[in-house]
Amino acid sequence: IAGGEAPKIAYWLYYESIFYSSALMYLNAFRVSLASLICSVFMLFPATIGGIRADWPGGAIYPLTVLILHLKVVTDLKRYQLQGLEDLKMVEKEHAECESLLNSLLPKEVLLSMQSNTLELAYTYRNMSMLFADIVGFTGYCNKHKDNPSDAVRLVTHLFASFDDCCKLLGAYKVCTIGDAYLAVNEPKTQHDESVTGALVLLHLAMAMLRIIVKVRDEVQHEGLNMRIGLHHGEFVAGVIGSNQLRFDIWGEDVLMGNQMESDGEPGRICCSATFVEVLKDFKDFSFSSHDPPRVIKCAGSNRTLESFLLDAPHGTGQ
């Protein structure tokens, strides 16, 4: 019935009970004072008319004063309740902003574990898709604008903000940015059957990145500006590191392989590993072709190799 907000409703019931119990107490005292004033008027008015007591208003001073005091107390109590309501709304707003910040820092599943005090040291994620992207020509743009470095910062801020919006819209999770490099994965879940969905999410994110970089390149009029993007499908180990500044990071051989896919890719193209292509083999809307000549990527630090493919036009080009 509470819709998952039982603690909040319990707090409101407690808060309202304090107010109304106090209000009822003072309202009862107010009624007594009002009755006292009315009785004093009825008792003194005939005597005043009969000339027995001409100073009857003096007899009404005490009940009238008590009545005014109780009116003041009830008014102040209501004002205090309204102020408390405004404070509560402010606290709820700050709590929502904090929740939004945590959601941007940590995956939903990890955040729930942290809030329930069941956070683990490390998590293993299988059947995950990874996107590695790098801004090509950014160093040249920085050298061109070295007299005004704020232009370079403004450019990368604008690009990454646009990429973040795409991640939020598509349901991807941004792991981190390092310099002009961008790393994202599909929403991390330890148990899921969304391999195809996750791969499609990152493929659409990669295509959106190419469209954004083309638009920004025309705006800043820097011909060498482009994106080099690598997509890979595999598994990784992840965890929350840091104490004062929390960060969700990923490790593993497939992470290195995905990074290598991007490093050995081509500017303006989406480079995909054989495992990523295999996940989307049943989707005829997208086609992939080998490099010319065919290219085999070797994972740094191991003997593992994978063939690399390029997403065909019109989807996979940012020329």
Short mmCIF file of all heavy atoms in Angstrom, two decimals, residues 26 48 55 57 94 114 117 143 166 173 184 221 257 260 282:
data_model
loop_
_atom_site.label_atom_id
_atom_site.label_comp_id
_atom_site.label_asym_id
_atom_site.label_seq_id
_atom_site.Cartn_x
_atom_site.Cartn_y
_atom_site.Cartn_z
N TYR A 26 -3.97 22.87 22.61
CA TYR A 26 -4.14 24.32 22.65
C TYR A 26 -5.53 24.74 22.16
O TYR A 26 -6.07 25.75 22.62
CB TYR A 26 -3.06 25.00 21.82
CG TYR A 26 -1.73 25.06 22.54
CD1 TYR A 26 -0.69 24.21 22.20
CD2 TYR A 26 -1.53 25.95 23.59
CE1 TYR A 26 0.52 24.25 22.87
CE2 TYR A 26 -0.33 26.01 24.27
CZ TYR A 26 0.69 25.15 23.91
OH TYR A 26 1.87 25.20 24.57
N THR A 48 -23.85 45.54 34.62
CA THR A 48 -23.49 46.86 34.09
C THR A 48 -24.74 47.64 33.70
O THR A 48 -24.86 48.84 33.95
CB THR A 48 -22.56 46.70 32.88
OG1 THR A 48 -21.41 45.95 33.27
CG2 THR A 48 -22.13 48.05 32.34
N ASP A 55 -17.64 49.13 35.77
CA ASP A 55 -16.32 48.84 35.19
C ASP A 55 -16.22 47.37 34.77
O ASP A 55 -15.21 46.71 34.95
CB ASP A 55 -15.21 49.15 36.19
CG ASP A 55 -15.34 48.34 37.46
OD1 ASP A 55 -16.45 47.84 37.71
OD2 ASP A 55 -14.32 48.20 38.18
N PRO A 57 -15.78 45.95 31.87
CA PRO A 57 -14.70 45.53 30.95
C PRO A 57 -13.45 45.07 31.67
O PRO A 57 -12.71 44.24 31.16
CB PRO A 57 -14.45 46.78 30.11
CG PRO A 57 -15.74 47.51 30.14
CD PRO A 57 -16.27 47.30 31.53
N GLU A 94 17.63 17.61 -1.54
CA GLU A 94 19.06 17.31 -1.42
C GLU A 94 19.30 15.80 -1.46
O GLU A 94 20.30 15.35 -2.04
CB GLU A 94 19.59 17.90 -0.11
CG GLU A 94 19.60 19.43 -0.09
CD GLU A 94 20.04 19.99 1.26
OE1 GLU A 94 20.21 19.18 2.19
OE2 GLU A 94 20.20 21.21 1.36
N MET A 114 25.57 -1.36 -1.76
CA MET A 114 26.20 -0.43 -0.82
C MET A 114 25.18 0.08 0.18
O MET A 114 25.46 0.17 1.38
CB MET A 114 26.85 0.72 -1.58
CG MET A 114 27.50 1.76 -0.70
SD MET A 114 28.31 3.07 -1.65
CE MET A 114 29.72 2.18 -2.28
N ASN A 117 24.38 -2.44 2.76
CA ASN A 117 25.57 -2.86 3.50
C ASN A 117 25.99 -4.29 3.13
O ASN A 117 26.46 -5.05 3.97
CB ASN A 117 25.33 -2.77 5.01
CG ASN A 117 26.63 -2.70 5.80
OD1 ASN A 117 27.65 -2.24 5.28
ND2 ASN A 117 26.62 -3.16 7.03
N ASN A 143 47.32 21.93 -29.67
CA ASN A 143 48.49 22.70 -30.14
C ASN A 143 48.06 23.93 -30.91
O ASN A 143 48.70 24.99 -30.83
CB ASN A 143 49.37 21.81 -31.00
CG ASN A 143 50.03 20.69 -30.21
OD1 ASN A 143 50.25 20.83 -29.00
ND2 ASN A 143 50.32 19.57 -30.87
N CYS A 166 23.92 10.63 -24.22
CA CYS A 166 23.60 9.44 -25.01
C CYS A 166 23.59 8.20 -24.14
O CYS A 166 22.73 7.32 -24.29
CB CYS A 166 24.59 9.30 -26.16
SG CYS A 166 24.45 10.57 -27.44
N TYR A 173 26.37 2.51 -19.32
CA TYR A 173 27.03 2.99 -18.10
C TYR A 173 28.42 3.48 -18.44
O TYR A 173 29.23 2.71 -18.98
CB TYR A 173 27.09 1.89 -17.04
CG TYR A 173 27.87 2.30 -15.81
CD1 TYR A 173 27.31 3.16 -14.86
CD2 TYR A 173 29.18 1.87 -15.61
CE1 TYR A 173 28.03 3.55 -13.75
CE2 TYR A 173 29.90 2.26 -14.49
CZ TYR A 173 29.32 3.10 -13.57
OH TYR A 173 30.04 3.50 -12.47
N ALA A 184 32.86 2.93 -21.81
CA ALA A 184 31.48 2.66 -21.39
C ALA A 184 31.17 1.18 -21.58
O ALA A 184 31.78 0.49 -22.41
CB ALA A 184 30.50 3.51 -22.19
N GLN A 221 35.55 23.75 -37.01
CA GLN A 221 36.33 23.86 -38.26
C GLN A 221 37.75 23.32 -38.08
O GLN A 221 38.74 23.98 -38.40
CB GLN A 221 36.36 25.32 -38.74
CG GLN A 221 34.99 25.86 -39.08
CD GLN A 221 35.02 27.30 -39.58
OE1 GLN A 221 36.07 27.95 -39.52
NE2 GLN A 221 33.92 27.80 -40.07
N MET A 257 41.71 -6.37 -24.40
CA MET A 257 41.38 -6.65 -25.79
C MET A 257 40.51 -5.55 -26.39
O MET A 257 40.72 -5.12 -27.53
CB MET A 257 40.67 -8.01 -25.90
CG MET A 257 40.32 -8.42 -27.33
SD MET A 257 41.76 -8.62 -28.39
CE MET A 257 42.35 -10.23 -27.82
N GLN A 260 42.59 -2.61 -27.11
CA GLN A 260 43.42 -2.83 -28.30
C GLN A 260 42.60 -2.69 -29.58
O GLN A 260 43.11 -2.24 -30.61
CB GLN A 260 44.05 -4.22 -28.23
CG GLN A 260 45.30 -4.39 -29.08
CD GLN A 260 46.44 -3.52 -28.59
OE1 GLN A 260 46.63 -3.36 -27.38
NE2 GLN A 260 47.18 -2.93 -29.52
N ASP A 282 22.57 -12.41 -35.83
CA ASP A 282 21.19 -12.58 -36.29
C ASP A 282 20.52 -11.27 -36.68
O ASP A 282 19.37 -11.29 -37.13
CB ASP A 282 20.36 -13.27 -35.20
CG ASP A 282 20.83 -14.70 -34.94
OD1 ASP A 282 21.35 -15.33 -35.87
OD2 ASP A 282 20.70 -15.18 -33.78
#
